[in-house]
Amino acid sequence: MERDVLHKILEALVLLDVWCWRTNSGVARGANGARIRLAPKGTPDILGALSSGRMFGLETKDPEGKKSDQQLTEAQLTWRSRAQARGVRHARTLSVEEAVEAIKAWEKLDARP
């Protein structure tokens, strides 16, 4: 289940001392019933900052889901494109291992002079 993978990734990243947090996109209702705009549609499930200060986003997908459900949606592709144009790192992940590999690879890239 996607939620389970997401929580496991967050736990692993916290143990690696990666500064990151869960994000929610869309609209919610406040206590008084007012609409509250959350992160823009397509925002990754996890946002954070690498030790270099560069922002990253991880979009988690269910590793046991249908192949079509593991692909990025149009809104997610748009977010990724806009973010990458500004230097933000982005990856779609199906597992803790993929997420950790992405973070380590980005840290290595950003450490280059």
Side-chain angles (χ1 to χ4, degrees), residues 78 88 106 111:
T78 299
V88 176
W106 294 332

Side-chain angles (χ1 to χ4, degrees), residues 34 58 65-66 69 71-72 74 84 94 101-102 104 113:
L58 295 172
K66 294 185 291 184
D69 291 338
Q71 303 304 310
L72 297 177
E74 196 61 41
Q84 287 178 332
L94 299 174
E101 285 176 24
K104 287 182 177 180

